[in-house]
Amino acid sequence: MTAGRASGDGLDRLAMAVLQPGFDGTAPPDWLLRALADGLGGVVLFARNVTRAAPRTADRSADRDGDDAGAAGGPGPVNGPVDGAVGGAGDGTSALVAALRRERPDVVVAVDEEGGSVTRLEAATGSSWPGNLALGVADDESLTRRVGRQIGRMVAAAGVTLDYAPVVDVNADPRNPVIGVRSFGSDPEAVGRHGAAWIEGLQSAGVAACAKHFPGHGDTVTDSHLALPAVRAAREVIERRDLPPFRAAIAAGVRAVMCGHLLVPAVDALPATLSRAVLTGLLREEMGFGGLVVTDAIEMRAVAALHDPGEIAVRALAAGADAICVGVSSARGESVYALRDAITAAVREGRLKEDRLAEAAGRVRDLAAWYDARADARAAAAGDADEGLGLAAAAAALRVTPGPTGPAASEAEAVGPGVLTRAPLVVSMAARPSQAVGRVTPLTLGQALAEILPGTTTAEVNDEEDAPGLLATLGDTGRPLVIAVHDAVRHAWMRRLLEEALRARPDAVVVETGVPGTPAGRLYLATHGNSTASARAAARWLAGRSQ
């Protein structure tokens, strides 16, 4: 063995150190514990690993006395925990993490907890917190910082080291199928300000933040879970539009950056995950980032269609990535060991420098050490509940516009809360969620209204095939009609159905829970997100209840 080089066992441990695999179940499987003993550096938690939170039940105490919804005994954690502790995950999740740490105290435990539509710890009830677009619309950096801290408080209670958040992509194309309300908005300066504030808030709770998806996933119309998206903008546009929020995140001290599986021809002909020009040349050398670079999940079709998993890992490490996120592992962990073997083989063959692998493993250890040094911050955050914040933040993002069948422009100022005085029919139009959102079941607007106005009913439409017979029921003007749409700007079928429905019922109130489009109906209410918090804020506004 050459002096200074790792032995076979040492090389295997270096290769294991850079992997962050997912796994099935709410307890660590035997193979995972063995992998930790063999040097596995990290794991990533998904909703499938989270102990289910308490069932959602209606809490009408707030409707009686005007205080915030979601108080003790209420549904979901709009202003506090669902399990009486700190966050949406039950005690079982923290017990799972504790079991991992008993095997390897410095394991990096990651989770994708953005708030809004993307939540893992609160997947069973929907997020307590509005998402990024809502925070961007509210445009109060202190509010954003407070929300970031409370999300940090929640994930810290579960024992999480690294939160794969926030999204700092600039949503340059409203047709974007995977970013949308996950972005703070379409203005680079505002996205940078709020991204930095969210990072500061989260990291003040002793949990590492991760800005994503470098170098910017906002100007795409392809979901990288399904195919390889491309950002066709000129380099000067990328510099002016997409990179400033990442620069702001770096200046705010973000501990990690996630690269996106996307093609940026103005920088390189290779996907960003596999591009040395992007990860080393641009992110490291030009922008000066010295923290952990983690890939998005390598089973996503954007890169999985190009190479097998082992080759993706090798090429990403060679390009400058430090940690390989693997969302899906085989039942007995063979796939994780196959990745290890592919990495060590590449080192032995000279395709991956051992120094580069050692550098990557060192950055994983550095992140673990950063987390270990912030036990006091986590303890302080645990006692810092910000009661009522989730609902208040969601309410601050509500925007109301008279629609074309509503009051004239001169009467617009008279439009106020309380437009519903009795139980409505809610027609909900939404496409099936992207894989980024996963199996989240937020409180719907209809459910939130039913908590306040008993007798509210909901009809769901997920595509045009669900529509026959629905429109025939809308001619009944015996009850108010609310039409809730999500990202109608992206779905022609949704816009067509909305137009038909409004011809039958021009008195309908339209609520957009995604990226807003052209106002429609008697009244157009934009929530800028579809979290449980946003649903309750919208319902309380419509019913005239205090926030």
Side-chain angles (χ1 to χ4, degrees):
M1 183 180 69
T2 303
R5 298 297 177 184
S7 64
D9 286 348
L11 190 59
D12 283 349
R13 293 186 72 84
L14 285 178
M16 289 293 271
V18 302
L19 302 179
Q20 293 185 355
F23 59 96
D24 290 336
T26 57
D30 290 343
W31 73 260
L32 184 58
L33 297 176
R34 183 175 69 254
L36 290 167
D38 288 339
L40 183 65
V43 298
V44 56
L45 302 181
F46 291 91
R48 63 183 184 263
N49 307 121
V50 174
T51 302
R52 190 172 179 84
R56 183 190 289 127
T57 57
D59 170 24
R60 297 193 179 90
S61 61
D63 301 317
R64 292 192 297 268
D65 61 21
D67 291 335
D68 295 305
V78 167
N79 304 304
V82 296
D83 62 357
V86 181
D91 290 342
T93 306
S94 56
L96 181 156
V97 174
L100 299 175
R101 294 201 188 280
R102 280 195 296 272
E103 191 62 54
R104 184 181 176 96
D106 64 345
V107 62
V108 171
V109 180
V111 74
D112 212 348
E113 192 65 40
E114 299 175 10
S117 60
V118 177
T119 175
R120 306 298 184 234
L121 300 183
E122 296 187 300
T125 57
S127 180
S128 307
W129 315 102
N132 288 355
L133 184 58
L135 294 172
V137 168
D139 200 18
D140 180 341
E141 291 165 54
S142 66
L143 187 67
T144 299
R145 191 174 291 107
R146 288 166 61 196
V147 168
R149 180 170 173 81
Q150 291 303 303
I151 291 176
R153 177 175 177 264
M154 178 176 71
V155 298
V160 167
T161 313
L162 171 64
D163 187 356
Y164 291 156
V167 169
V168 295
D169 303 312
V170 175
N171 198 48
D173 192 327
R175 300 170 299 164
N176 194 307
V178 72
I179 302 301
V181 294
R182 299 168 67 198
S183 167
F184 289 106
S186 58
D187 176 63
E189 188 272 337
V191 173
R193 284 191 290 107
H194 287 281
W198 202 99
I199 288 162
E200 290 165 357
L202 185 97
Q203 294 191 165
S204 75
V207 175
C210 178
K212 63 186 184 184
H213 307 82
F214 188 82
H217 206 318
D219 189 16
T220 65
V221 292
T222 301
D223 183 347
S224 51
H225 294 83
L226 307 176
L228 180 63
V231 177
R232 301 289 181 186
R235 177 65 183 258
E236 64 184 43
V237 174
I238 292 166
E239 290 280 355
R240 181 179 70 250
R241 179 192 65 196
D242 298 328
L243 297 185
F246 288 97
R247 295 186 190 279
I250 293 168
V254 72
R255 303 306 303 180
V257 168
M258 177 179 283
C259 55
H261 298 320
L262 60 148
L263 195 63
V264 189
V267 181
D268 196 3
L270 294 172
T273 303
L274 312 178
S275 170
R276 183 171 176 79
V278 172
L279 299 187
T280 299
L282 180 56
L283 181 57
R284 295 282 190 210
E285 296 173 357
E286 291 188 33
M287 298 177 66
F289 180 63
L292 184 83
V293 175
V294 60
T295 70
D296 212 337
I298 63 171
E299 69 272 14
M300 292 165 62
R301 293 298 298 167
V303 290
L306 304 177
H307 305 287
D308 64 47
E311 188 64 16
I312 294 168
V314 168
R315 294 186 181 215
L317 289 164
D322 304 306
I324 308 297
C325 174
V326 191
V328 178
S329 302
S330 58
R332 296 184 179 180
E334 303 95 334
S335 60
V336 174
Y337 283 88
L339 288 171
R340 179 200 68 180
D341 293 346
I343 294 167
T344 57
V347 173
R348 293 188 179 102
E349 293 163 5
R351 297 193 302 120
L352 175 62
K353 293 181 179 179
E354 186 176 328
D355 289 348
R356 168 79 274 271
L357 179 59
E359 177 185 54
R363 288 203 178 102
V364 174
R365 288 193 301 272
D366 289 345
L367 185 71
W370 179 92
Y371 172 83
D372 190 53
R374 279 157 181 79
D376 288 348
R378 292 189 293 278
D384 186 25
D386 202 337
E387 298 295 337
L389 177 62
L391 192 63
L398 299 178
R399 294 294 183 269
V400 184
T401 307
T405 61
S410 61
E411 302 169 335
E413 291 184 3
V415 174
V419 297
L420 296 178
T421 57
R422 51 203 170 95
L425 167 64
V426 179
V427 174
S428 175
M429 300 184 190
R432 290 169 177 84
S434 74
Q435 291 181 39
V437 172
R439 297 179 294 176
V440 179
T441 55
L443 192 76
T444 66
L445 178 63
Q447 290 169 326
L449 281 167
E451 293 178 351
I452 303 171
L453 299 172
T456 297
T457 57
T458 299
E460 294 188 2
V461 181
N462 296 122
D463 54 42
E464 278 185 300
E465 294 180 1
D466 295 338
L470 175 65
L471 296 176
T473 69
L474 303 183
D476 176 13
T477 58
R479 63 192 307 189
L481 176 64
V482 176
I483 304 175
V485 295
H486 185 75
D487 282 344
V489 69
R490 291 201 300 110
H491 301 287
W493 68 264
M494 199 180 296
R495 295 193 298 275
R496 286 194 297 270
L497 284 181
L498 179 59
E499 289 174 5
E500 289 185 57
L502 290 174
R503 278 196 292 271
R505 290 290 301 271
D507 61 316
V509 172
V510 176
V511 179
E512 172 59 82
T513 64
V515 175
T518 303
R522 175 168 66 97
L523 195 71
Y524 185 81
L525 172 62
T527 65
H528 302 95
N530 60 337
S531 68
T532 290
S534 293
R536 281 213 174 90
R540 294 175 69 78
W541 190 91
L542 290 168
R545 306 302 171 90
S546 64
Q547 299 287 353

